[in-house]
Amino acid sequence: MLAGDLAARFVAVVDGQGGSPCLRLASASAGVRAETRRLLDRSRSVADVVMEGAPSEPLDVDAREFLAGCAARAAVLVAADSLGAMARMLDLAVEYSKQRHQFGVPIGSFQAVKHAAATILVEVEAARSAVYFAAASVDGGGPQSALHAAAVKAQVTAAGARVADSALTLHGAIGYTWEHDLQLFFKRAKLDEYLYGGPTTWNERIADGLNLVPV
Amino acid sequence: MDFELSEDQATIRRAVAELAAKFDDQYWLEKDAAHEFPTEFYQAFADGGWLGITIPEEYGGHGFGITEAALLLEEVSASGAGMNGASSMHLSIFGMHPVILHGSEELKRENLPRIVGGDLHVCFGVTEPGAGLDTTRITTFARRDGSDYVVNGRKVWISKAMESEKVLLLTRTTRFEDVEKKTDGLTLFLTDLDRDHVDIRPIRKMGRNAVSSNELFIDDLRVPEAHRVGEEGQGFRYILDGLNPERMLVAAEALGLGRVALRRAVRYGNDRVVFGRPIGMNQGLQFPLADSLARLDAAELALRKATWLYDNGKPCGREANTAKYLCADAGFDAADRALQTHGGMGYSEEYHVARYFREARLLKIAPLSQEMVLNYLGEHVLGLPRSY
């Protein structure tokens, strides 16, 4: 659970009558234990949260609708996180390519470097349009909003992971070091790809919305 | 480990390249545009004795292996003849394999020397509208009538049928519904394409237009028993023997196409000047071509290993399929990049790379698609469950 070691209150999904889910609100107090897990991405934390005899109160909302809304918001926000990381990695890569000289010229003068940076820019702009659109769609609660959210979670976070690799290549070994900021965004983009399910999982959701033959 | 070609192999390679070079780019451009069989080219190879490269010496051939046949077809393709040149002789080179292994002495004496001499053109009649790679599903039926068979059915994607006198024809002699094993009940013939009973219609297609691809409508074609290859009902097994060699030869053709495409791209990259310098100086063009060189070289090694295994009597399914997969991909990518290097000129027929591109695309589909290669590797090599 993301930030499970930091949260003060938890919405727990429990089996209700007839097996349908219902929601209860619990506080981080007696009966709630969070076991932190360390991530490569040090800017975030996750924890396994165990509740044993924790006091809780019922939440009077439609659980399925609430969970679907959470999924859509999580998908769009993680995609937005990935977008931000990508944009920053592009800036870092371009800046570095002007500064770093090899064979007597800035490495940014090499076409292979330029093209790689230009490809990242295309990824960033495509991601920006998609994320803004999906965010507006989820805000508006339109009939396709869950699909739009799934599309950006699958596509944008995958692009983020590709961009991270490319940005690291452009930086060479310096990008692999602890001192350089690239590693922060690199790790964030890599976690974003698999946080709340990888692209395959979200692509399955999109596939479910199409009129395809079931596997 | 010895990566050196034998003296014979090196000689074959050089001689084939020299002979093929007599047919220039203009020749192939015109043959392709006119949809005309490259008779002069084919005849030159027949006269040089090349068509019999794998046919046993007792039937007039040279008795070489698949390694030598692959070198031959690779060089033909790489000369710029491409698939038009390779397909004109592909079946003569190795298509008679089932006949050599399983045919009667009489059938061999009657046909093999004529194949070597070049005057007998043959085609391969296996695939049908309702049965592509799912070979056991063919429905073309050979019914016994006295000592003859009478054949009815349809075949599709039969290369060179328009130009062929005979067909290596796969039929059912027992219907699919009536056999215990689906691979039983298929029977192979080498027989005449009697135009009174076989209607042949060329398919309009994207490329390789000097050699036709056809649909065959077979109506009461009478086939004497003597034209049967091997035993009745065993045809599938005979065809199966030839699949790996076919994959390797097609791999060689794809490799050759990649080589000629890359050669042209390099030449253009050096000659063409934009912004005051040769365009090959741009990393955006140079890197893809260098990448193609590396991929073609790697694919070539996979192919050489596959043909070596086959010629040494070792299992080669994994390697033959891998070679086909890698050569087709590397060949197509090289052709695509050659086209891109040429810019607008690549799109014109004049620079020939458009023709290579169209032909190279075919090899990602035929004789089996890249996806079917992956099915083979996934199921038979990796041991994963069959996916289809």
Side-chain angles (χ1 to χ4, degrees):
Chain A
M1 184 183 294
L2 190 68
D5 52 342
L6 304 172
R9 309 185 91 188
F10 299 90
V11 176
V13 186
V14 298
D15 283 340
Q17 280 180 341
S20 60
C22 63
L23 304 174
R24 297 190 73 87
L25 186 66
S27 296
S29 57
V32 178
R33 193 173 76 250
E35 291 161 9
T36 308
R37 286 170 180 262
R38 298 254 287 174
L39 293 169
L40 260 183
D41 173 14
R42 297 286 184 89
S43 66
R44 283 178 281 193
S45 66
V46 289
D48 297 344
V49 178
V50 183
M51 297 186 181
E52 277 165 341
S56 68
E57 53 188 283
L59 284 175
D60 187 21
V61 290
D62 183 319
R64 288 182 201 280
E65 202 178 301
F66 173 80
L67 292 172
C70 282
R73 282 194 296 279
V76 172
L77 292 174
V78 173
D81 191 275
S82 195
L83 167 62
M86 270 194 265
R88 184 71 188 122
M89 287 189 283
L90 174 61
D91 290 346
L92 288 172
V94 170
E95 195 184 308
Y96 184 74
S97 74
K98 290 176 182 170
Q99 190 187 92
R100 171 75 172 157
H101 281 62
Q102 288 281 275
F103 304 107
V105 292
I107 60 167
S109 70
F110 299 132
Q111 212 171 37
V113 171
K114 281 186 193 176
H115 288 185
T119 303
I120 298 178
L121 177 60
V122 173
E123 299 268 33
V124 168
E125 287 308 321
R128 191 186 307 283
S129 302
V131 166
Y132 288 0
F133 178 80
S137 175
V138 169
D139 259 352
Q144 299 263 292
S145 59
L147 287 180
H148 295 150
V152 291
K153 178 64 182 73
Q155 302 301 315
V156 174
T157 63
R162 282 197 300 274
V163 163
D165 288 332
S166 184
L168 178 55
T169 302
L170 293 179
H171 279 82
I174 189 77
Y176 209 72
T177 64
W178 196 259
E179 301 92 85
H180 200 284
D181 280 356
L182 183 74
Q183 52 114 353
L184 302 173
F185 302 98
F186 181 97
K187 291 169 185 168
R188 224 173 148 93
K190 290 288 181 182
L191 177 58
D192 284 341
E193 186 182 14
Y194 289 101
L195 193 60
Y196 303 129
T200 316
T201 307
W202 292 88
N203 278 334
E204 279 298 334
R205 289 186 170 221
I206 302 171
D208 288 343
L210 297 170
N211 188 21
L212 296 170
V213 182
V215 177
Chain B
M1 225 175 283
D2 184 1
F3 290 95
E4 203 72 56
L5 294 184
S6 72
E7 208 172 303
D8 276 348
Q9 290 165 348
T11 307
I12 288 169
R13 201 173 197 181
R14 197 170 49 246
V16 168
E18 272 170 29
L19 181 55
K22 294 186 177 155
F23 299 83
D24 61 11
D25 295 330
Q26 189 63 23
Y27 177 82
W28 293 110
L29 186 154
E30 284 170 14
K31 289 290 179 189
D32 193 67
H35 294 207
E36 203 174 275
F37 188 79
T39 309
E40 305 80 5
F41 173 85
Y42 174 88
Q43 199 51 52
F45 274 80
D47 293 346
W50 293 108
L51 301 186
I53 188 165
T54 67
I55 290 176
E57 287 172 77
E58 54 195 299
Y59 304 106
H62 298 294
F64 280 115
I66 199 76
T67 303
E68 290 77 14
L71 285 168
L72 186 160
L73 286 171
E74 180 186 328
E75 284 304 321
V76 162
S77 182
S79 74
M83 291 305 291
N84 283 326
S87 299
S88 75
M89 63 175 77
H90 180 109
L91 280 173
S92 307
I93 302 291
F94 213 80
M96 287 300 105
H97 192 63
V99 177
I100 293 167
L101 288 184
H102 308 288
S104 69
E105 195 51 37
E106 190 193 345
L107 199 64
K108 289 194 257 195
R109 294 250 165 256
E110 188 186 318
N111 292 291
L112 298 181
R114 288 188 60 209
I115 298 257
V116 175
D119 98 280
L120 174 59
H121 289 266
V122 284
C123 60
F124 212 51
V126 175
T127 45
E128 298 186 0
L133 286 160
D134 200 359
T135 309
T136 61
R137 285 285 182 176
I138 65 163
T139 56
T140 293
F141 198 79
R143 175 178 53 84
R144 270 278 190 182
D145 185 33
S147 70
D148 292 349
Y149 293 85
V150 176
V151 180
N152 281 282
R154 272 173 77 183
K155 294 284 174 185
V156 75
W157 290 113
I158 310 307
S159 285
K160 214 185 146 183
M162 281 294 276
E163 297 84 5
S164 293
E165 176 188 328
K166 295 196 181 192
V167 58
L168 196 61
L169 186 65
L170 189 67
T171 64
R172 273 212 166 271
T173 37
T174 313
R175 291 184 201 286
F176 186 89
E177 307 81 73
D178 302 331
V179 288
E180 214 167 281
K181 271 180 66 187
K182 63 181 184 174
T183 48
D184 287 343
L186 291 120
T187 301
L188 188 65
F189 298 97
L190 176 60
T191 194
D192 299 275
L193 264 178
D194 178 354
R195 296 302 192 94
D196 290 338
H197 295 276
V198 183
D199 186 18
I200 302 176
R201 297 185 199 162
I203 298 165
R204 295 180 63 189
K205 57 194 159 97
M206 182 170 164
R208 204 204 64 180
N209 276 315
V211 180
S212 65
S213 302
N214 307 276
E215 201 164 0
L216 269 54
F217 299 85
I218 306 167
D219 182 23
D220 283 339
L221 177 70
R222 190 160 279 277
V223 179
E225 191 176 33
H227 289 183
R228 196 182 67 214
V229 179
E231 291 172 41
E232 190 175 292
Q234 295 297 311
F236 186 79
R237 195 163 59 79
Y238 303 155
I239 291 283
L240 215 55
D241 286 339
L243 293 185
N244 284 330
E246 187 186 29
R247 279 163 210 190
M248 294 185 254
L249 292 185
V250 167
E253 293 162 11
L255 184 63
L257 258 182
R259 296 286 186 204
V260 64
L262 187 59
R263 202 163 64 229
R264 287 207 151 266
V266 168
R267 190 159 87 200
Y268 196 77
N270 279 319
D271 291 350
R272 169 82 170 150
V273 173
V274 180
F275 303 117
R277 57 205 201 130
I279 59 170
M281 213 169 175
N282 293 308
Q283 289 182 333
L285 294 184
Q286 191 177 120
F287 286 7
L289 298 183
D291 178 73
S292 271
L293 175 68
R295 288 175 195 282
L296 287 167
D297 284 355
E300 179 178 333
L301 282 180
L303 173 61
R304 298 277 180 263
K305 182 180 177 191
T307 62
W308 179 87
L309 286 169
Y310 185 86
D311 286 337
N312 283 280
K314 296 171 192 286
C316 67
R318 171 183 182 168
E319 292 77 8
N321 278 279
T322 299
K324 191 273 167 185
Y325 184 73
L326 295 179
C327 288
D329 253 5
F332 176 74
D333 284 348
D336 185 35
R337 289 161 175 184
L339 206 153
Q340 191 69 15
T341 303
H342 281 73
M345 291 307 173
Y347 212 68
S348 84
E349 290 293 307
E350 193 186 334
Y351 284 81
H352 308 285
V353 288
R355 195 171 71 247
Y356 305 150
F357 173 87
R358 293 195 298 268
E359 293 178 6
R361 189 63 184 79
L362 170 64
L363 300 173
K364 299 223 301 184
I365 304 170
L368 83 167
S369 66
Q370 299 294 81
E371 292 76 13
M372 287 305 289
V373 172
L374 296 179
N375 272 332
Y376 176 90
L377 295 177
E379 181 186 350
H380 297 288
V381 181
L382 295 178
L384 293 165
R386 186 183 173 101
S387 66
Y388 58 99

